[in-house]
């Protein structure tokens, strides 16, 4: 199963909106076939592994990181393929999280006389698909907030100048983070000040090992109440862009101009503090976004944090001080110590001279916080 | 020599104002005697090691982390002791940094027919005594700035509330940092807001291994132009306190009241930005302060940084966000990216859930910055 999980990771930049899945067909210690899902619409992991194993699959064991599908989608059901190949035993890491289909694939296998074992390395396998699992369960994507800051907690000078705070290794890491994401969200102020493209650039992606090449750009999303995004903005070039504006702005000239350029307009609620993030995330779930990356200024970033909507904070810290006039890490208007946000450090590593921390909100992990 | 350096570290909390020194007497691989300097006025490392070796020292090799002293101070010269014991060879890590005595101890040994080798593990040995070496060369102490902050770069709420940002492991580490220091400097605003004692508390010091127990409290220093420190302040209890005020404030009632309580008054220059730090450091050098720890608010901390007077920044970061209204890491009124301060990370470790970084200014280490 560990090998199947390893194979599944090869699809980390390419399977969306499908989950990352790996499969190994083995008899004892002898591996007969290996497969992983590469791209939506292409063969599933089980089919690829069975095809490699050929007639040897008869009587063998299949290790699959996710419950085999039992329905006709863009490809025939994998449960059927396993039955037809005559495998004797199927070991699965986790059941399908979609409540309407969960367990059906396993039942089909059992009905065909195959021995089924479930829950092997379940937690490790779950890390493959945090977004797919969350979207199936809650209808919303997994939210990663990325912040690049100095050690004194500043993301830019007061003027907005921010090139470059972090080093080349960190920026290449951000490229891989973008490539893993289904969509990248920013705010119109960032568009106006920085004019970022928010694309994945293959030549900056670094070594992706045996992973399948990214097959498309992530969706680009702009929170922009009054449709102020300039038609010349770099973010509008080279891929699908969704604009989240107010219902009132939908019919205005600027919005219609952007629509004519191919931008998809979405009317959502707005309040003083900004866009209604709950509505926005629901809409992204409907669009099939599993993993959302937020690369935004202090206000939008602060909104996600204050509303408890961040699943992971990826904080890149450069060993510099930008000074006390610079822009804050996130706009969080706290007055009292008890309002502070507590994080769990789940990963801490060095990237060139920078430090990258992956943090999760402490309240969301009661088991871990109990040992603190 | 590595063993001698290890022994010297045992004096890290206790030798001031003397340097930390270790000595091993050996014949081939056989260690005959070991010693380290424990406290000023007590036996030097060489004498202790020779005493342990006894008559076996004749014909042996002495490894010493610092050039043996050649003059009568509070104890007789160690060069004489090595000659009298009949050692055949002396291996030294570094010469005495004091230009008026440097090399004399080694010359005395050579004159007595002893083979001398110099410069073995010189850089490792230099780390034992950054303050002693700097003070001998420049007349000023080694300056360590300690800052405890949140990941969003805040050291307190706007109200000044700051208990506790970092965890117990970090606070115990700060106790050990204080114990290593000859003096601790803070500003009067910190005294007025936090009322810290800035003492070393043995029960919070944690495990100090084989190190000699700290024998006294570090000097406490207050930058306080108008002598506003309240006579009831905790910092005035339990040890020597120096106040650095303006020349004009020296003769005022509040200053004289503090003097009557045993506080030593020092008149130094002040400008709009605060105390004249160069004058202050010169005065501390005269007082025999090798290693100064600055535990101050954003203004005093910022002054040391802006003037390039920080030798090491010890940054303790807790995995929390205190919000964008909180007090900054250091007051640094930069407008342009090119004003940014760049640091080299010389040590990065986890303390409980916190991270401790030891940083040195990049400009002071041209050899290292060249490979960046």
């Amino acid at each position: 199963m560990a090998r199947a999980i390893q194979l599944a990771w090869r699809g980390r930049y390419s399977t969306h909106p499908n989950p990352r899945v790996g499969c190994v067909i083995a008899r004892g210690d002898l591996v007969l076939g290996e497969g992983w899902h590469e791209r939506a619409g292409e063969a599933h992991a089980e089919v690829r592994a069975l095809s490699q194993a050929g007639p040897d699959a008869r009587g063998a064991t299949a290790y699959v990181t996710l419950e085999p599908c039992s329905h006709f989608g863009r490809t025939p059901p994998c449960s059927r393929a396993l039955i037809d190949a005559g495998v004797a035993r199927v070991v699965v890491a986790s059941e399908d999280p979609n409540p309407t289909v969960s367990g059906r694939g396993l039942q089909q296998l059992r009905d065909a006389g195959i021995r089924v074992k479930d829950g092997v390395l379940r937690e490790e396998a779950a890390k493959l698909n945090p977004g797919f699992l969350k979207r199936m369960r809650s209808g919303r994507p997994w939210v990663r907030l990325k912040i690049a800051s100095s050690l004194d907690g500043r993301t830019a000078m007061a003027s907005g100048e921010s090139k470059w705070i972090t080093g080349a290794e960190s920026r290449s890491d951000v490229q891989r983070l973008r490539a893993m994401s289904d969509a990248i969200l920013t705010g119109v102020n960032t568009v106006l000040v920085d004019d970022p493209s928010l694309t994945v650039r293959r030549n900056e992606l670094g070594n992706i090992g045996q992973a399948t090449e990214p097959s498309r750009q992530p969706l680009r999303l702009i929170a922009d109440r009054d449709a102020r995004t300039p038609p010349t903005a770099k973010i509008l070039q080279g891929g699908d862009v969704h604009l989240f504006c107010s219902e009132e702005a939908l019919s205005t000239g600027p919005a219609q101009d952007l629509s004519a350029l191919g931008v998809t307009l979405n009317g959502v609620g707005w309040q003083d503090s900004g866009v209604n993030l709950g509505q926005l995330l629901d809409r992204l779930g409907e669009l099939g976004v599993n993993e959302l990356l937020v690369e935004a200024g202090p206000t939008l970033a602060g909104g996600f944090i204050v509303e408890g909507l961040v699943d992971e904070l990826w904080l890149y810290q450069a060993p510099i001080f930008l000074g006390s006039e610079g822009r804050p890490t996130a706009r969080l208007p706290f007055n009292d110590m008890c309002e502070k946000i507590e994080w769990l450090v789940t990963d801490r590593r060095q990237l060139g001279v920078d430090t990258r921390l992956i943090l999760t909100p402490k309240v969301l992990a009661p088991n871990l916080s109990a040992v603190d």
Side-chain angles (χ1 to χ4, degrees), chain A:
Chain A
M1 184 60 77
R3 176 64 182 158
I5 291 172
Q6 209 174 35
L7 292 166
W9 275 116
R10 294 189 183 174
R12 62 189 176 273
Y13 304 128
S14 55
T15 66
H16 23 220
N18 286 353
R20 298 157 187 133
V21 183
C23 176
V24 171
I25 311 285
R27 182 173 288 118
D29 286 346
L30 183 68
V31 172
L32 306 169
E34 294 186 337
W36 65 97
H37 185 44
E38 287 211 301
R39 289 186 176 90
E42 296 184 9
H44 284 192
E46 300 92 321
V47 172
R48 288 170 51 127
L50 286 171
S51 143
Q52 198 179 88
D56 288 348
R58 189 155 301 276
T61 298
Y63 298 86
V64 199
T65 59
L66 192 69
E67 176 180 354
C69 63
S70 59
H71 61 282
F72 279 87
R74 282 191 270 188
T75 60
C78 292
S79 53
R80 194 69 251 163
L82 289 163
I83 293 164
D84 290 347
V87 303
R89 185 164 159 255
V90 174
V91 179
V92 167
S94 73
E95 298 186 10
D96 192 302
N98 190 330
T100 63
V101 297
S102 180
R104 284 200 199 166
L106 298 185
Q107 195 52 50
Q108 276 192 6
L109 296 171
R110 285 196 187 95
D111 291 347
I114 294 175
R115 279 178 296 143
V116 171
K117 187 170 164 60
D118 190 12
V120 173
L121 293 185
R122 187 196 304 266
E123 287 185 20
E124 276 308 300
K127 290 177 192 165
L128 285 163
N129 298 301
F132 179 78
L133 298 176
K134 184 179 170 191
R135 181 167 65 89
M136 289 296 141
R137 285 170 186 146
S138 73
R140 289 183 176 179
W142 183 258
V143 177
R144 293 193 182 97
L145 171 62
K146 172 234 140 181
I147 298 177
S149 82
S150 60
L151 282 177
D152 59 343
R154 306 294 165 163
T155 56
M157 307 307 290
S159 64
E161 186 186 5
S162 66
K163 288 193 174 174
W164 295 105
I165 292 174
T166 51
E169 288 90 340
S170 291
R171 298 203 300 275
S172 178
D173 196 70
V174 170
Q175 284 285 316
R176 293 187 289 279
L177 179 58
R178 285 183 185 170
M180 280 196 350
S181 305
D182 301 69
I184 304 173
L185 171 68
T186 193
V188 67
N189 286 325
T190 299
V191 172
L192 292 170
V193 173
D194 292 347
D195 194 20
S197 62
L198 298 182
T199 49
V200 175
R201 294 177 287 276
R202 184 59 190 93
N203 62 326
E204 296 173 31
L205 203 55
N207 181 2
I208 62 169
Q210 295 182 284
T212 302
E213 289 285 329
S215 42
R216 57 142 202 43
Q217 290 292 341
L219 282 183
R220 263 77 52 79
L221 318 171
I222 311 171
D224 179 5
R225 188 181 55 192
D226 303 320
R228 291 186 296 142
T229 297
T232 55
K234 286 192 194 144
I235 195 172
L236 302 184
Q237 290 152 26
D240 289 348
V241 176
H242 280 252
L243 194 90
F244 292 82
C245 58
S246 68
E247 299 283 354
E248 298 72 40
L250 282 173
S251 54
T252 61
Q256 289 305 312
D257 289 349
L258 290 168
S259 177
L261 288 169
V263 173
T264 306
L265 303 180
N266 299 268
V268 286
W270 285 75
Q271 52 249 22
D272 285 348
S273 58
V275 65
N276 184 318
L277 293 174
Q279 271 186 34
L280 180 115
L281 292 177
D282 287 339
R283 179 82 189 102
L284 296 181
E286 290 161 17
L287 288 170
V289 172
N290 292 328
E291 299 176 22
L292 171 68
L293 177 62
V294 181
E295 294 197 57
T299 307
L300 192 49
F304 272 96
I305 294 171
V306 163
E307 295 190 36
L309 295 173
V310 174
D311 295 303
E312 284 177 4
L313 168 60
W314 289 48
L315 182 62
Y316 297 81
Q317 282 190 319
I320 58 174
F321 274 19
L322 289 181
S324 45
E325 304 301 309
R327 292 206 183 161
T329 306
R331 199 158 310 280
L332 298 166
F334 300 156
N335 294 311
D336 198 274
M337 195 80 160
C338 66
E339 296 175 88
K340 70 173 184 278
I341 306 284
E342 296 184 89
W343 304 97
L344 286 171
V345 182
T346 59
D347 189 81
R348 180 188 261 122
R349 72 181 59 187
Q350 197 176 334
L351 291 172
V353 299
D354 303 333
T355 305
R356 188 193 75 187
L357 298 174
I358 302 180
L359 305 143
T360 55
K362 200 164 175 185
V363 286
L364 291 184
N367 291 338
L368 285 168
S369 66
V371 301
D372 181 50

